[in-house]
Amino acid sequence: MDGTLQEQTDSPPSSDGTGDFVAQSDGETPQEVEGAVSGGTGKLPPPQVPHGEADHPAMDDHFEDIAKHHVVEVAGDDSVGRKLVVFYCSRLPPSNTYSQDRLLGFMKFTLDQYVESDYSLVIFWYGLTKQNRPSFKWLVQAYNELERKYKKNLKALYLVHPSNTVKLLWGFFKHIVSSKFVRKVHYVAFLQDLIAELRTDRIEIPQIVKEHNDREIVRRKRTETTNFYAPSSPPPPTQQFGVSLQFIKEKNRGHPLPRVVRETVDYLTKNGLDKEGIFRRCPKAETVKEVQSIYNNGGVIDYSLYPDTHIHALILKTFFRELPEPIMTFDLYDIIINLKELKNEEERILACRELVCNKLPIENYVVLRHAMELLHNVAENNAVNKMTAQNLSIVFGPNLVWSRDATALHSLASLGSVNTFAYTLISGFNEIFTKEVEIADPPADGPTGGVSTGDGTVTDAPKYTAMKLPGAIEEGEVLKGDVKLPQEGDQSREELQNGDGDKVLGTASEGLGNLVDFGT
């Protein structure tokens, strides 16, 4: 971890947004903090939780009264594929306008969806005031109620712009909590350090936090600004991560399947179908970066040096996550978000087949199909690996779909829609991926080579053929519900040509209505 992330330098407390969990509003003093701990034994006291409706929410309680403030959000994955949960203190409403027990319930409701996998937590501390800060007693209660299952898979906790009092309190707390938990906590003094550490631009940063960051830069005489990303040099022709599918195809002599996808899928098909928790666990970040570097530089992966299947599962997720445009494209985002409107599984399969077979570029279809076939096979073996289609959709879905607005995938509703879409692709693979695409063997001499003809010669990759198999959606076919394909003359129709010059028609789905949950 960069030393800047753990900077302990104290600064004068700000009066305009760096409120603390301290006595100003609750009558507690730092000396009384110790009184909140059971007799100085090093253990926090049993939580005093009111036995109200917040403790026993109804099964369909999604905490809309708290969720509307967007205090807790999910920002996709971090740099090593862990789910990234974000807490915004600046969005807390006045403490007398909401139930703090409900806030804790909503936090647990959010984390419950991800605690079975590794995850990271970012807390933007700036924005707490006397009016909106929870009490210290609530903080103690939260620590106690967030039982071991919430703490075990928490791999990193980033406190962004922590105040002096927070540092003081943590200095006391770290002697009470476990040493393992202490090692997970990192101070972040500047937003630039957070972005560099997590390597993600999908965290929504409130404007008042950016402005505070700029003031801190000036005060501490740093030269950076909130323009977090410097222009990078052109990627080498062997680059696999962070470049477009079109770039890879061009450098691959026209072959649409990236080498990293082909090799990782092959390896996992042979070695990972029985691996418990495949795609859920995250190996060491340094190891993943090593493998990425080998791929980007055109090197050969020695699997004897990297035998852990979790490494290659994360490499596959990382490839999709780092695409400049999601594999499902920006244009299909709104339709995918609304697919949850379709409550019937058959309707969802038909709608997904229309999107995948008729609206995706061929290159995207080839890559997506290759990966989804693997995930389908993993799900089919869930009795051994414990990874059902639903589990896989949660860990893989956000890597397939995101908005052109990189911060849009935050609400649990939109994230649920993405997961529903991924679940349908995985569970309904055989019914959805019905378009047959014939592609040549991959280039024999690496990303810049040609295609082996089998007789020792190498030629440019031939064009691939696209055609529909029996059972694919036909022109003018009407789907159940409100989803139907455009008829003859619709301006959204597309034409694809197969290798013989024959036309294959593709059409676009019409509006899919509003968001509705379905039981998966």
Side-chain angles (χ1 to χ4, degrees):
M1 182 69 62
D2 191 304
T4 310
L5 290 179
Q6 302 193 36
E7 180 176 349
Q8 302 290 320
T9 303
D10 287 340
S11 58
S14 170
S15 61
D16 63 344
T18 54
D20 306 305
F21 292 101
V22 289
Q24 289 91 327
S25 63
D26 298 300
E28 296 161 340
T29 65
Q31 290 76 20
E32 289 175 311
V33 167
E34 186 171 0
V37 181
S38 299
T41 60
K43 296 183 180 180
L44 295 176
Q48 302 298 316
V49 185
H51 296 287
E53 61 175 311
D55 300 2
H56 305 283
M59 293 299 292
D60 59 349
D61 184 1
H62 290 178
F63 296 88
E64 289 85 355
D65 55 320
I66 302 296
K68 67 181 181 181
H69 297 293
H70 303 288
V71 176
V72 182
E73 302 286 8
V74 180
D77 294 351
D78 67 10
S79 60
V80 291
R82 301 180 295 226
K83 279 289 171 287
L84 192 58
V85 181
V86 186
F87 189 99
Y88 299 93
C89 292
S90 62
R91 293 178 177 175
L92 283 168
S95 56
N96 62 352
T97 64
Y98 72 97
S99 165
Q100 293 184 13
D101 288 331
R102 295 280 293 171
L103 173 61
L104 180 56
F106 178 65
M107 291 173 59
K108 293 165 70 174
F109 169 77
T110 303
L111 293 176
D112 276 340
Q113 302 176 61
Y114 305 105
V115 293
E116 298 302 325
S117 303
D118 297 343
Y119 71 99
S120 298
L121 176 63
V122 176
I123 300 179
F124 287 100
W125 205 268
Y126 184 80
L128 273 182
T129 66
K130 291 182 179 180
Q131 288 71 38
N132 72 354
R133 62 178 171 233
S135 67
F136 177 76
K137 291 179 180 178
W138 180 88
L139 184 63
V140 173
Q141 176 185 333
Y143 180 84
N144 281 284
E145 284 205 37
L146 294 177
E147 55 210 51
R148 186 176 183 273
K149 72 172 183 176
Y150 298 102
K151 302 165 190 171
K152 177 183 176 183
N153 288 334
L154 173 64
K155 298 305 179 184
L157 169 59
Y158 300 95
L159 299 176
V160 184
H161 300 141
S163 67
N164 290 335
T165 308
V166 169
K167 297 175 183 178
L168 175 65
L169 289 176
W170 177 241
F172 173 77
F173 261 105
K174 68 182 182 181
H175 298 295
I176 301 172
V177 300
S178 70
S179 58
K180 288 184 178 180
F181 188 82
V182 170
R183 290 193 293 270
K184 298 176 182 180
V185 178
H186 310 284
Y187 290 166
V188 183
F190 301 100
L191 295 178
Q192 293 84 345
D193 301 322
L194 178 70
I195 300 300
E197 174 69 15
L198 298 180
R199 290 197 303 158
T200 179
D201 59 353
R202 298 184 203 171
I203 299 179
E204 183 180 6
I205 302 176
Q207 185 60 33
I208 65 169
V209 175
K210 293 180 181 179
E211 293 170 357
H212 173 72
N213 189 73
D214 287 343
R215 291 193 296 269
E216 286 294 288
I217 289 174
V218 172
R219 189 177 68 80
R220 301 194 187 193
K221 298 180 181 180
R222 282 184 51 150
T223 59
E224 298 90 336
T225 68
T226 48
N227 180 19
F228 304 130
Y229 302 99
S232 56
S233 56
T238 53
Q239 185 85 13
Q240 296 284 289
F241 295 88
V243 294
S244 68
L245 294 179
Q246 188 61 33
F247 174 92
I248 296 176
K249 178 184 173 183
E250 290 174 356
K251 305 303 180 184
N252 209 25
R253 291 290 184 90
H255 197 279
L257 192 61
R259 173 192 165 210
V260 61
V261 174
R262 184 181 71 251
E263 292 186 2
T264 53
V265 168
D266 288 350
Y267 181 82
L268 292 172
T269 299
K270 296 175 182 176
N271 302 280
L273 298 185
D274 294 337
K275 186 71 172 181
E276 183 171 337
I278 190 71
F279 289 107
R280 173 175 279 169
R281 297 301 177 193
C282 295
K284 291 183 179 179
E286 295 79 6
T287 305
V288 174
K289 291 175 182 177
E290 286 178 13
V291 176
Q292 279 187 273
S293 179
I294 294 173
Y295 273 118
N296 283 336
N297 292 312
V300 177
I301 302 297
D302 184 348
Y303 289 100
S304 66
L305 298 178
Y306 306 99
D308 184 0
T309 54
H310 293 302
I311 295 174
H312 306 286
L314 182 54
I315 283 292
L316 186 62
K317 285 172 57 181
T318 302
F319 172 82
F320 283 97
R321 185 176 66 251
E322 294 189 0
L323 285 172
E325 181 174 14
I327 192 71
M328 289 305 302
T329 75
F330 290 128
D331 292 340
L332 297 180
Y333 175 80
D334 289 336
I335 296 177
I336 291 171
I337 290 299
N338 287 325
L339 279 177
K340 223 176 178 183
E341 159 80 6
L342 304 176
K343 305 176 183 66
N344 181 275
E345 181 178 3
E346 182 181 354
E347 293 177 1
R348 290 195 302 271
I349 288 176
L350 289 173
C352 288
R353 188 166 70 191
E354 164 63 12
L355 291 178
V356 167
C357 291
N358 291 334
K359 296 309 299 177
L360 272 187
I362 292 294
E363 294 85 357
N364 296 53
Y365 176 87
V366 169
V367 177
L368 180 66
R369 187 187 191 284
H370 207 64
M372 290 302 103
E373 183 174 17
L374 169 65
L375 296 186
H376 176 75
N377 291 334
V378 169
E380 289 288 292
N381 206 33
N382 70 82
V384 177
N385 58 43
K386 311 301 182 186
M387 293 300 292
T388 64
Q390 187 170 8
N391 293 338
L392 290 168
S393 71
I394 291 173
V395 298
F396 216 96
N399 300 304
L400 306 177
V401 182
W402 62 87
S403 170
R404 199 181 304 272
D405 175 6
T407 63
L409 186 60
H410 278 271
S411 72
L412 291 178
S414 61
L415 191 60
S417 298
V418 169
N419 293 344
T420 296
F421 172 72
Y423 169 84
T424 306
L425 293 187
I426 296 168
S427 62
F429 173 82
N430 293 324
E431 293 80 21
I432 292 172
F433 291 86
T434 56
K435 181 163 66 177
E436 184 178 272
V437 179
E438 297 177 1
I439 57 176
D441 292 334
D445 56 344
T448 58
V451 176
S452 172
T453 61
D455 58 1
T457 62
V458 176
T459 64
D460 288 339
K463 295 182 178 180
Y464 33 83
T465 300
M467 63 182 181
K468 288 186 176 180
L469 293 179
I473 297 176
E474 299 297 337
E475 175 187 355
E477 178 182 346
V478 178
L479 305 184
K480 295 181 179 180
D482 294 331
V483 187
K484 68 177 182 179
L485 304 183
Q487 305 295 315
E488 186 70 33
D490 192 309
Q491 294 302 311
S492 65
R493 293 164 59 84
E494 295 181 350
E495 295 183 352
L496 304 174
Q497 286 191 337
N498 63 20
D500 299 322
D502 297 329
K503 293 180 179 179
V504 178
L505 297 179
T507 51
S509 294
E510 295 180 344
L512 299 180
N514 298 321
L515 182 72
V516 177
D517 288 339
F518 76 96
T520 57

